[in-house]
Amino acid sequence: MSTSQPAASRPPEDRTTPDRLLHARTGTDVSPEDLVLASGKDLTPHTLEWARRKLEAEGPAALEKLLP
C-alpha cells in the first residue's frame, strides 16, 4: 500500500481553517477593482462605477459582505 504522506503527517480530515486565515482584509484600502473582482464580475466601466457607488455607501465592509 503506497501513500503520498505517512498517516502521522497528514492533517486530520475534520480540521477547520482558523478564523484568522478567513479574513479578506489586509489592512489596506479596498479599491473598486477589488470589489468588482471579488464579486466575480468583469472589469468594465459599468462594474467599476457600481463598485465605486457601493464603496461610497458601505465602505470597506462592502468587500466583506461579498466574501465568505
Side-chain angles (χ1 to χ4, degrees):
M1 180 163 92
S2 173
T3 61
S4 61
Q5 293 181 332
S9 66
R10 276 187 260 159
E13 303 259 342
D14 63 344
R15 184 173 174 208
T16 58
T17 304
D19 189 50
R20 65 183 169 76
L21 297 177
L22 296 174
H23 294 285
R25 296 281 308 199
T26 61
T28 60
D29 291 332
V30 177
S31 71
E33 290 84 359
D34 295 333
L35 196 59
V36 170
L37 294 174
S39 71
K41 299 176 182 177
D42 292 329
L43 289 171
T44 66
H46 178 73
T47 58
L48 288 171
E49 183 57 32
W50 164 82
R52 283 186 196 98
R53 287 192 313 269
K54 192 162 181 71
L55 283 172
E56 190 175 296
E58 301 176 21
L63 184 63
E64 294 293 331
K65 292 177 182 179
L66 289 174
L67 300 175

